[in-house]
Amino acid sequence: MKMKKLVSLGMAMVLSLGLVACGGGEKESSEAADKLDAVKESGKLVVAMSADYPPFEFHSTKDGADKVAGVDVDLANAVAKEIGVDVEVKEMTFDGLVGALKADKVDMVISGMSPSPERKENVDFSDVYYTGKNVLIVREGEEDKITSEDQVKSMKVATQKGSIQETYANKIGCTGLKSLESVPDLMMELKNGNVDAVIVNDTVGLINVNQIDGIALSSFNLPEGDAEESMAIAVKKGNNTAYLEAINKAVKDFVANDLQKSLEDNSALAAQE
């Protein structure tokens, strides 16, 4: 009789633990599934950006007020409009974006972020909204100095910390890699002679070349495959079906109808800053 009671008690405990485990899983799944509803209920979409990447995100003092502007801000507004909420931009360094997303400090990251395989292990991505290429920015007069990737490996090269360009530089084994938090810092290091070249997105690079005296676009093209940089919206990893459907609808409409004008307008605006 005592043994039967013990067996019954053990089975009850196992059943109870199983129900708790199942209940926990359902709770986690529900929380993930409710992300779209949670954003709607809050009335705002909190978007993380590193505002040092014109024309995608940068500070503008147009109309006398300092605010974050750019293609990614326009896209954030398009996503918010699709969901039916307002936008709140939270600025931080680029290498802190994924951490903020995973810690639930923001609802998404729109900051020229490439959906690399490494990042996909930690976050989910929308459809790609922009594809460009990576280029080398050098000092004026040295446009033809670089002739091979092997040469790049042995040079003092600067990239933005946490960027796809940093990943590429590490991949090819750059021995003199210097990673900094902001693109303006990279360009100043180049201009001041502290590095030999900067690896950056082509659109971003050309804006900086037009704004800063003494730097230029290298004539050397990075190898195909490594040269491409695509951009997508990052969200916290999980069951994001409804959330991503709404995001991707906004992305599709933005790319089809507004991206080109946004690039042109924000490139012109960034050139004035």
Side-chain angles (χ1 to χ4, degrees):
M1 180 64 72
K2 187 175 181 181
M3 182 59 70
K4 284 185 178 180
K5 286 183 178 180
L6 287 172
V7 171
S8 298
L9 180 60
M11 290 178 66
M13 289 177 66
V14 170
L15 181 59
S16 176
L17 288 170
L19 289 171
V20 169
C22 290
E26 287 173 1
K27 182 181 178 182
E28 290 174 6
S29 177
S30 176
E31 287 175 354
D34 290 342
K35 180 60 180 175
L36 180 59
D37 290 337
V39 171
K40 288 180 177 180
E41 187 175 338
S42 71
K44 65 181 179 181
L45 182 69
V46 183
V47 182
M49 294 185 185
S50 178
D52 56 5
Y53 210 56
F56 296 98
E57 53 264 346
F58 57 96
H59 278 269
S60 171
T61 54
K62 183 182 178 182
D63 301 325
D66 185 350
K67 63 178 182 178
V68 179
V71 175
D72 288 345
V73 176
D74 291 344
L75 177 56
N77 285 323
V79 174
K81 183 178 179 181
E82 174 64 30
I83 296 174
V85 295
D86 296 324
V87 172
E88 178 185 326
V89 173
K90 276 197 174 182
E91 283 190 76
M92 56 193 70
T93 58
F94 190 83
D95 61 338
L97 295 172
V98 170
L101 190 59
K102 293 172 71 174
D104 290 317
K105 294 180 179 178
V106 297
D107 298 315
M108 63 176 57
V109 170
I110 312 181
S111 196
M113 182 171 284
S114 297
S116 65
E118 294 82 7
R119 290 193 180 119
K120 285 182 178 179
E121 293 178 3
N122 295 293
V123 297
D124 289 333
F125 282 97
S126 71
D127 294 337
V128 169
Y129 64 85
Y130 176 84
T131 300
K133 65 177 183 177
N134 293 317
V135 296
L136 288 162
I137 306 299
V138 295
R139 281 182 291 279
E140 200 168 26
E142 299 181 353
E143 292 91 335
D144 301 321
K145 183 177 179 180
I146 301 173
T147 58
S148 71
E149 190 176 53
D150 283 338
Q151 196 175 346
V152 176
K153 293 178 187 178
S154 60
M155 297 173 70
K156 293 178 181 177
V157 175
T159 62
Q160 187 174 30
K161 191 179 293 184
S163 67
I164 199 75
Q165 292 84 11
E166 182 184 46
T167 301
Y168 162 70
N170 281 317
K171 174 187 169 185
I172 67 171
C174 281
T175 56
L177 176 61
K178 188 171 189 177
S179 295
L180 301 173
E181 288 186 348
S182 74
V183 172
D185 289 344
L186 301 179
M187 300 304 170
M188 287 302 103
E189 286 292 286
L190 175 62
K191 185 174 180 178
N192 294 335
N194 297 323
V195 296
D196 301 314
V198 171
I199 307 175
V200 70
N201 170 272
D202 57 344
T203 305
V204 175
L206 286 172
I207 284 180
N208 279 274
V209 166
N210 291 331
Q211 287 180 321
I212 303 171
D213 293 332
I215 63 174
L217 178 66
S218 171
S219 61
F220 177 71
N221 293 319
L222 294 170
E224 191 173 342
D226 290 320
E228 185 173 285
E229 182 191 32
S230 58
M231 299 178 185
I233 298 172
V235 299
K236 187 176 180 180
K237 203 165 189 65
N239 182 8
N240 291 307
T241 303
Y243 192 37
L244 281 173
E245 280 180 359
I247 293 169
N248 284 332
K249 184 178 185 304
V251 167
K252 183 178 179 179
D253 291 344
F254 182 78
V255 170
N257 302 309
D258 303 310
L259 176 60
Q260 189 58 43
K261 187 176 186 305
S262 180
L263 279 166
E264 292 171 358
D265 290 350
N266 285 293
S267 293
L269 180 60
Q272 299 169 17
E273 297 301 322

